Amino acid sequence: MSKFNKKKGGELPPVNTASLPDIVFMLLFFFMVVTVLRDNNLLVKNQLPKADQVEKLQKDRAVYIYAGKPSARYTDKYGTEGKIQIGDKYTDVNSLKFALTEARAKLRPELQDRVMVALKVDEETNTGLVTDIKQELRDLNMLKLIYITSPGTELDQ
């Protein structure tokens, strides 16, 4: 007859962690691919008007100008008048040329002459503000202008 030996300690065997670095790197790459980084913090209210004929814009050659009343969390500091936002900061009509020149300089050199200006204007914004922006764009010879809208028609609610 054979003897059965009992294990002396009732301990559990150690956990195999050989595949743990693979799992960690796989999760790291997943989140790097899936995460979208925001370019700008939107400081103005931006309820875009609706249009039924919309077309996609190439983002690599566009400078975005946001116009509208300040968002609800900024009304105490900036009031309720229409504001212009380029990048992450407000600008006024007088310093718009400088801000646009700076934004144009950030583009690739071969696209700086063919820059498109994309206006994202809130549907309740005063037309005078848009006219002032367009006049400054004419002075800078930035004549390719696109109005960004949301798809749909005004009848859609």
Side-chain angles (χ1 to χ4, degrees):
M1 294 252 213
S2 69
K3 265 184 164 176
F4 294 104
N5 293 333
K6 281 188 169 183
K7 289 184 181 178
K8 295 186 180 177
E11 299 173 7
L12 293 173
V15 176
N16 186 3
T17 59
S19 64
L20 190 60
D22 294 333
I23 294 170
V24 169
F25 282 115
M26 186 172 50
L27 285 172
L28 176 70
F29 289 135
F30 173 76
F31 286 114
M32 284 174 51
V33 169
V34 174
T35 302
V36 176
L37 299 177
R38 182 177 289 179
D39 289 337
N40 301 334
N41 285 334
L42 200 57
L43 304 174
V44 295
K45 182 180 164 195
N46 204 297
Q47 180 72 29
L48 298 175
K50 297 191 182 306
D52 58 354
Q53 297 178 3
V54 293
E55 178 178 323
K56 209 150 186 131
L57 174 68
Q58 296 176 354
K59 291 187 176 186
D60 62 343
R61 58 183 278 198
V63 173
Y64 288 90
I65 298 176
Y66 301 93
K69 295 179 180 177
S71 298
R73 62 182 176 182
Y74 297 109
T75 53
D76 295 339
K77 188 174 181 181
Y78 296 108
T80 58
E81 284 295 315
K83 297 281 185 189
I84 302 168
Q85 177 186 350
I86 297 178
D88 275 342
K89 51 190 167 189
Y90 286 127
T91 184
D92 58 348
V93 177
N94 299 331
S95 61
L96 190 59
K97 285 182 184 179
F98 175 73
L100 286 171
T101 306
E102 186 179 311
R104 179 192 276 180
K106 290 180 183 177
L107 295 175
R108 296 190 324 226
E110 63 269 10
L111 296 177
Q112 288 180 2
D113 295 335
R114 300 180 311 175
V115 66
M116 294 176 127
V117 177
L119 280 177
K120 284 189 156 188
V121 181
D122 184 51
E123 61 186 1
E124 297 177 5
T125 301
N126 187 355
T127 310
L129 183 63
V130 178
T131 305
D132 292 342
I133 293 171
K134 287 170 53 177
Q135 183 61 41
E136 294 295 324
L137 290 172
R138 278 188 214 112
D139 292 344
L140 285 172
N141 200 24
M142 297 174 90
L143 303 176
K144 293 183 181 179
L145 183 65
I146 297 172
Y147 290 97
I148 305 290
T149 62
S150 58
T153 62
E154 283 296 324
L155 301 176
D156 297 339
Q157 293 290 333

